[in-house]
Amino acid sequence: MSSSAPHRLAPLLPLRPPGSLLLGLRARQPEASAMFFDRWVDGVERAVHAVLGPDVDAEDVVQDAFVAALRGIDGFRGDEAALGPWVRGIAVRLALRRIRWRRARRWLGMGGSEVIAGLRGPTDTHLQAALGRAYALLDRLPASERAAFSLRFVEGMRLEEVAEALGVSLATTKRRLTRAREAFTALAANDAILQAWLDGRAP
Amino acid sequence: MRDDDTIDRLSARMAELQHELLARDRSARHDRMRAAVLAGVHGPGASQRGASSTRTWAIAWASAAMAVLVVLAWSALRPTPLTFRIDAAGGQVEAESLVVADGDEPLTLTFSDGSAVVLDRGSRVRVGTRRVDGVDLVLEAGRLETRLQPHGAAAWRIVAGPYEVVVVGEAVVLEWTPQITSFELEPQRGRVEVRGPGIEGTRVLDAGERLVIAGEPREGLHAATGASTPTTVAPPSIDAVAPTPVVEATPPSQPAAPERVAAVGRRGARAKPPPATASEAASWRSLAHERRWSDALRLAETVGFASLCDTLEAAALLELADVGRYAGERARAREALLALRRRFAGSEAAAAAAFDLGRLERDCEGARPWFRSYLRERPDGAMATAARQRLAQCEDDRSDEPTP
């Protein structure tokens, strides 16, 4: 958690012995839930944004992941240190589900471009547009490969963490990454606008 | 550039930008999300959820069953993508056809939702993906005007050279002259979003504004036109003003590449077909211009299909391939296209033939090498976007391992 986290919950920290957070969560204590959220929200948010890109639904996915984790806390079998990777894994799988749902919507003829939709309006900046361009390319990859690629290369997670977040084996993760980077490299190399951005010729 | 280098630089930039976006309003955003999470778990009604699990499961199963029924019904009744017709010619045109307004009057494409796209005389547009509420168009050259019905977000897209336009409103005028890299965009009702070289990110234009980009042709941009590579690179001039134009483009020169024959054109509109190189040309080509594909193919075979492949010019070979394709004889289309690539290797027409060969293939295994060939030969070509989309589609079609 970064040093800029909210301060109002800080007094709770010294009062809780190790493991008490998990006990508090299982006892359905609101302050434990708040602490759980504050401790892990940054990592979860980064992972979701890495998978989805600049997306209007990212905030919903983060919230849904925490709600699902808190409701399902009785089924959690790890220790307190494993809570973070656990909720992050839930969030990544929810983000994947969101991508697949959108693709199904597109198949049903109900949806348009998910990237452009999140980049609308006069407040959009070149920053968002550049990210949108990159994620438009990633959107051409299968969802699981896109997620593996984003978590590994954008979020910078270790292979083991990527595998855990996706709920697959290390070997499967490596295979997906290999395929994803080959496809993405080819797409990016042929995208003049993205290349200009990379070369510093565009903001 | 090495692949690893590309990935490293790109992912580093993406992470950097992502971090910047997430840093904005972080505190307020987290407060908002925390409140929502706590309300979802500890708020009124949340504690009741565990008390009636049986009823909850029954409702869940009923909902799932209902969802399945809805999906089945929707699959049966789902809206179909837009179709279109050329007003002067009538009849349907298949997607991704190249439409050439080669008559004396503007050509109107009327879509099934009532939207219309008007092509100025001499303009060429390729109709790409058609959706329920919009279509992808590639303006290869010329000027078009849209008169769209209200539609969904990002439903109508127009690609013109390296520029991509998302039409958010209804009426827009777009002109693209690849020979001089001139791009003009003027929304007349509603707004448009545009991105491309020389534009910072995505630029939004409202009605009354006009965007003009013109300048010295740049390397890469010009590859599709077949013109000579410029020795100097100058930044394009850009301006958005209301309402007077800023840059007057010089009249476009004649395209260096052989003109692609319209796969579907206005009936009888081709008043001046390309000059025939042999006496047979008037026959099968005339029939082709009347869209009598089977008759045209029969005549071409009577004359000698193989000898035509050995003697026709590039543009006529493309036309001959179209005849085979629309007559349903893919082998003939393929024969003409392969002859074109053999005899006119390196030309614009040969690259177009590679794209068409990819389209002729029934599966990705056969199509992929041709689309890659096209992209290798014309990375910024008029069909580059379509080629990439088709390659991506092939990737999507691969079986995706399920996530446990």
Side-chain angles (χ1 to χ4, degrees), chain A residues 8 33 45 107 127 190, chain B residues 17 29 34 42 78 388:
Chain A
R8 59 184 169 287
S33 297
E45 203 173 34
W107 180 84
L127 182 68
N190 286 320
Chain B
L17 298 178
R29 189 176 66 249
R34 185 189 307 101
H42 302 287
R78 69 189 179 115
R388 287 189 192 101

Side-chain angles (χ1 to χ4, degrees), chain A residues 189-203:
Chain A
N190 286 320
D191 190 306
I193 295 174
L194 207 50
Q195 285 297 321
W197 175 55
L198 275 174
D199 295 342
R201 285 181 280 121

Side-chain angles (χ1 to χ4, degrees), chain B residues 30-299:
Chain B
H30 286 184
D31 286 348
R32 189 170 61 241
M33 287 196 290
R34 185 189 307 101
V37 168
L38 293 180
V41 178
H42 302 287
S47 59
Q48 308 294 324
R49 289 190 182 95
S52 53
S53 58
T54 304
R55 190 179 58 190
T56 303
W57 276 106
I59 292 171
W61 279 108
S63 301
M66 182 64 75
V68 169
L69 286 174
V70 167
V71 168
L72 289 175
W74 179 253
S75 299
L77 301 173
R78 69 189 179 115
T80 53
L82 296 181
T83 57
F84 72 98
R85 60 189 162 78
I86 297 175
D87 275 356
Q92 297 296 324
V93 183
E94 81 174 74
E96 301 212 9
S97 290
L98 178 67
V99 180
V100 181
D102 54 359
D104 296 331
E105 301 292 330
L107 188 67
T108 302
L109 307 183
T110 303
F111 291 82
S112 48
D113 68 341
S115 296
V117 174
V118 182
L119 301 182
D120 261 16
R121 192 178 155 199
S123 301
R124 299 186 298 169
V125 72
R126 192 174 287 276
V127 181
T129 304
R130 294 169 294 132
R131 292 174 288 275
V132 173
D133 59 350
V135 173
D136 289 344
L137 299 171
V138 178
L139 178 61
E140 294 195 345
R143 181 179 181 277
L144 65 75
E145 185 176 341
T146 67
R147 297 165 190 163
L148 307 181
Q149 295 295 320
H151 53 86
W156 284 83
R157 294 162 181 267
I158 308 171
V159 172
Y163 297 94
E164 180 184 1
V165 178
V166 176
V167 185
V168 183
E170 294 87 41
V172 62
V173 176
L174 173 61
E175 184 164 359
W176 167 240
T177 311
Q179 291 84 4
I180 55 171
T181 321
S182 171
F183 176 87
E184 294 190 35
L185 178 63
E186 185 177 359
Q188 296 185 326
R189 212 164 49 248
R191 65 170 44 178
V192 298
E193 297 169 356
V194 56
R195 63 179 68 189
I199 300 173
E200 288 191 357
T202 300
R203 188 154 186 171
V204 177
L205 291 181
D206 287 306
E209 291 182 305
R210 185 179 190 193
L211 175 68
V212 179
I213 300 178
E216 290 295 319
R218 298 191 302 178
E219 208 169 359
L221 295 183
H222 219 62
T225 69
S228 59
T229 303
T231 53
T232 57
V233 177
S237 60
I238 305 173
D239 214 338
V241 294
T244 53
V246 177
V247 177
E248 289 295 331
T250 55
S253 58
Q254 289 300 313
E259 188 174 355
R260 181 81 157 89
V261 176
V264 178
R266 297 176 56 196
R267 190 184 300 278
R270 185 177 287 278
K272 293 180 181 177
T277 56
S279 57
E280 46 64 42
S283 52
W284 69 265
R285 280 176 127 175
S286 300
L287 291 170
H289 298 153
E290 293 171 16
R291 300 165 64 197
R292 294 166 58 189
W293 308 113
S294 297
D295 293 339
L297 181 61
R298 256 198 306 276
L299 263 180

Side-chain angles (χ1 to χ4, degrees), chain A residues 3 9 17 22 35 65 89 170 193:
Chain A
S3 59
L9 295 173
L22 200 47
M35 182 184 289
L170 199 57
I193 295 174

